[in-house]
Amino acid sequence: ALCVAWELVLAPVRPGGSWLVLKVVPLLAPLRGVLRGRRYTIQWSTLLIWLYAAEGATRAWTDPGVSAQLAIVELALALGYFAAAVAYLRSPSGGRGQTE
């Protein structure tokens, strides 16, 4: 939701929105498996989330104003997801028996 709002309404690259809103599409691929707690999906989604962390860090450093603040939120959410996924996978019951 943050990516869509960011690129269409809050601080789009171009007035009226841009094709950059499509960056949300890769996040939809693991959504079902993550919501079901599937171990394998959570494992590979931790690799995907680093793309969003890198974008957040880059845009926080280079973009002005509201866009930089949204980038910091994106970075925090990406790092938070990574930490939560690792904690879940390391837990004793971390998705055992729920492979894809």
Side-chain angles (χ1 to χ4, degrees):
L2 172 68
C3 292
V4 172
W6 181 358
E7 298 303 340
L8 291 180
V9 180
L10 299 174
V13 174
R14 292 187 182 94
S18 70
W19 286 99
L20 203 53
V21 73
L22 294 177
K23 70 182 179 184
V24 75
V25 173
L27 288 174
L28 298 176
L31 184 60
R32 184 175 175 185
V34 169
L35 292 176
R36 291 184 176 185
R38 293 194 171 143
R39 184 175 185 80
Y40 179 73
T41 305
I42 294 171
Q43 287 173 335
W44 69 260
S45 70
T46 60
L47 299 174
L48 174 68
I49 205 66
W50 285 109
L51 295 173
Y52 296 89
E55 183 206 19
T58 302
R59 291 184 74 178
W61 186 263
T62 61
D63 287 4
V66 174
S67 186
Q69 294 171 350
L70 292 169
I72 292 169
V73 172
E74 180 183 38
L75 177 60
L77 288 172
L79 294 176
Y81 175 80
F82 182 79
V86 169
Y88 176 77
L89 292 169
R90 287 182 172 230
S91 70
S93 63
R96 288 201 179 122
Q98 298 179 11
T99 59
E100 291 181 14

